Amino acid sequence: MALIVQKYGGSSLESADRIRAVAERIVATKKQGHDVVVVCSAMGDTTDELLDLAARVNPTPPAREMDMLLTAGERISNSLVAMAVASFGADVQSFTGSQAGVITTERHGNARIIEVTPGRVQEAIDAGRIAIVAGFQGVNRDTKDVTTLGRGGSDTTAVALAAALGADECEIYSDVDGVYTADPRIVHDARKLDKLCFEEMLELAASGSKILVLRSVEYARAFNVPMRVRSSYSNDPGTLVAGALEDIPMEEAVLSGVATDASEAKITILGVKDLPGEAAKVFRVLADNEINIDMVLQNISSLHNLTTDITFTLPIADGPRAMELLKALQAKEGWDNITYNDQIGKVSLIGAGMKTHPGVTADFTEALRDAGVNIDMITTSEIRITAVVREIDLEEATRAIHDKFELGGDEPAIVYAGTGR
């Protein structure tokens, strides 16, 4: 008998019929002799609908009250799933995030989990009940306020609970059968992967793959929680995410897939003094305002005036705020200009096989050349190559790289609902 934590996304819970189908799967897992803890996201597009409603009431709502509103979505699906489970004759008990002992930082809208004290959940398990926990939410110990964990926070809730409970596996259910070699909405012959190590999944998530949230994979690796990505629409065993990069035998190392990301913008600062500490001024002001930076490129210094250009990417949502901060700094530092471009996309090739396959970078760049796609920026790591291209070229670039490295399968990939989460 194992302890299994199952997380169901919004597309899996979008209607009463889907909720009953999920409940039937949960009860079937219990009848197999396993202890079961379930984490629920909000139904369908509930979170987006609540955000729209809030905007109509107040364009700039207080962050605390927004968290109070948004956590209602998960509580609704949580209780409905518990009711459906009970209708199949199983003993069940539902919990909010705070009742389940999810303790977070006090930052509203994007809190981080500090610890999980799942005493009440464990009591329910010991009593033979199925425990249903509302995802995406927790409570701050000092303020006693409800908090939310940011987009995809239910994944992190599930992994954190699995770690705290010592679960044997954490199953993440969505509307696709697992992790694919590319987004099946872009590459129709994308192939489902049977297994990935944590490092490969981290790179995929960081590079734009939406199937798992980066923070949840980081948590799983830190606490060595095996994750399995599955679909709630089929009985496919899905993709297992477990183990470390160094555990993969050299002869078995392969290229895992291509990830795409159209959620970033590019900022270039022209005419920065090429002196120690100048770049630090740029990134310190952004860091102090909690703006994350991804790729960074600094040009060779101009010999006639000893200045350089710095280019970096960041989330589009933070772009306007970053430009405002940097424009204020420009007046003090005397930079020539600052440019902003949100019409870019990132395409990344990921896989442990890069260590053992010579010529990967050459093939990567040739694939883009043959597709007529220009490279704006490029960076590499031990198991990843990422290029920044024009957003309108992103899908073509993805297909070109996927074909170049022969990552496709024999059958079309199936997307059961449409969001990939």
Side-chain angles (χ1 to χ4, degrees):
M1 183 175 71
L3 171 57
I4 297 175
V5 175
Q6 298 180 339
K7 177 263 175 181
Y8 292 93
S11 60
S12 299
L13 303 170
E14 62 184 1
S15 66
D17 288 341
R18 287 301 311 150
I19 287 175
R20 286 194 59 79
V22 163
E24 194 169 9
R25 183 184 291 269
I26 293 167
V27 173
T29 305
K30 179 66 174 177
K31 287 181 177 178
Q32 291 169 6
H34 302 304
D35 289 329
V36 186
V37 176
V38 177
V39 174
C40 297
S41 294
M43 295 175 60
D45 297 324
T46 298
T47 300
D48 289 334
E49 291 168 358
L50 291 173
L51 285 169
D52 292 341
L53 185 60
R56 286 157 54 193
V57 172
N58 182 347
T60 56
R64 180 188 183 278
E65 303 312 320
M66 181 63 83
D67 275 1
M68 289 289 285
L69 173 69
L70 295 183
T71 53
E74 276 70 21
R75 292 199 302 273
I76 290 169
S77 61
N78 200 48
S79 55
L80 289 172
V81 170
M83 293 175 192
V85 167
S87 74
F88 288 104
D91 290 333
V92 62
Q93 187 173 359
S94 67
F95 302 91
T96 65
S98 58
Q99 289 172 337
V102 180
I103 310 300
T104 75
T105 58
E106 63 181 333
R107 183 183 178 189
H108 289 291
N110 195 27
R112 300 187 75 88
I113 295 175
I114 297 173
E115 65 173 323
V116 179
T117 54
R120 295 187 65 184
V121 175
Q122 188 63 60
E123 288 175 5
I125 295 169
D126 294 342
R129 303 188 191 101
I130 295 169
I132 315 286
V133 178
F136 176 65
Q137 61 187 259
V139 64
N140 179 258
R141 181 177 281 128
D142 297 325
T143 66
K144 304 295 190 291
D145 283 340
V146 170
T147 57
T148 61
L149 306 178
R151 283 290 187 176
S154 292
D155 287 7
T156 310
T157 302
V159 175
L161 271 170
L165 293 166
D168 296 276
E169 194 167 276
C170 181
E171 297 179 342
I172 306 293
Y173 285 87
S174 68
D175 56 12
V176 289
D177 281 326
V179 181
Y180 283 80
T181 53
D183 186 336
R185 297 158 194 77
I186 297 173
V187 181
H188 299 304
D189 68 340
R191 176 173 50 85
K192 183 176 71 69
L193 300 166
D194 293 328
K195 185 175 181 179
L196 291 165
C197 68
F198 285 124
E199 286 83 357
E200 289 173 308
M201 192 65 241
L202 279 170
E203 291 285 10
L204 282 168
S207 301
S209 175
K210 299 177 179 63
I211 192 66
L212 285 177
V213 174
L214 177 62
R215 201 186 302 182
S216 71
V217 185
E218 290 174 336
Y219 210 108
R221 182 176 69 164
F223 292 93
N224 197 28
V225 176
M227 304 176 75
R228 187 176 294 276
V229 181
R230 303 183 63 181
S231 171
S232 61
Y233 292 78
S234 77
N235 292 315
D236 191 283
T239 301
L240 178 65
V241 180
L245 186 65
E246 56 266 24
D247 297 333
I248 301 175
M250 185 175 296
E251 65 275 9
E252 294 181 13
V254 296
L255 297 172
S256 302
V258 183
T260 56
D261 186 1
S263 68
E264 293 197 350
K266 181 182 71 172
I267 291 178
T268 300
I269 305 174
L270 304 170
V272 179
K273 295 175 185 176
D274 194 8
L275 296 171
E278 294 302 308
K281 295 177 183 177
V282 173
F283 298 117
R284 172 48 58 193
V285 71
L286 299 174
D288 287 347
N289 287 274
E290 299 186 341
I291 296 175
N292 290 323
I293 301 304
D294 185 14
M295 298 174 65
V296 178
L297 175 67
Q298 180 170 326
N299 292 336
I300 297 173
S301 175
S302 172
L303 294 178
H304 76 275
N305 60 5
L306 294 179
T307 62
T308 186
D309 302 334
I310 298 176
T311 301
F312 58 89
T313 61
L314 74 170
I316 288 178
D318 292 327
R321 190 159 55 97
M323 285 295 289
E324 184 178 338
L325 293 165
L326 293 172
K327 285 289 187 182
L329 193 59
Q330 180 185 9
K332 177 182 177 183
E333 299 297 328
W335 303 328
D336 293 341
N337 195 14
I338 306 174
T339 65
Y340 179 77
N341 181 6
D342 59 6
Q343 301 299 305
I344 65 166
K346 289 193 317 181
V347 58
S348 304
L349 177 67
I350 289 112
M354 287 187 194
K355 296 191 301 180
T356 56
H357 287 66
V360 173
T361 302
D363 288 340
F364 180 93
T365 53
E366 287 172 357
L368 295 178
R369 176 202 64 191
D370 295 343
V373 176
N374 188 53
I375 298 173
D376 196 358
M377 299 171 66
I378 190 167
T379 184
T380 64
S381 72
E382 184 181 24
I383 60 171
R384 174 181 54 81
I385 303 173
T386 297
V388 172
V389 300
R390 295 188 306 168
E391 185 178 5
I392 60 173
D393 293 331
L394 186 58
E395 292 192 3
E396 182 62 31
T398 303
R399 287 188 284 266
I401 294 168
H402 196 268
D403 290 344
K404 182 72 171 181
F405 291 94
E406 300 179 345
L407 297 175
D410 297 328
E411 300 178 359
I414 299 174
V415 180
Y416 296 96
T419 64
R421 289 203 44 72

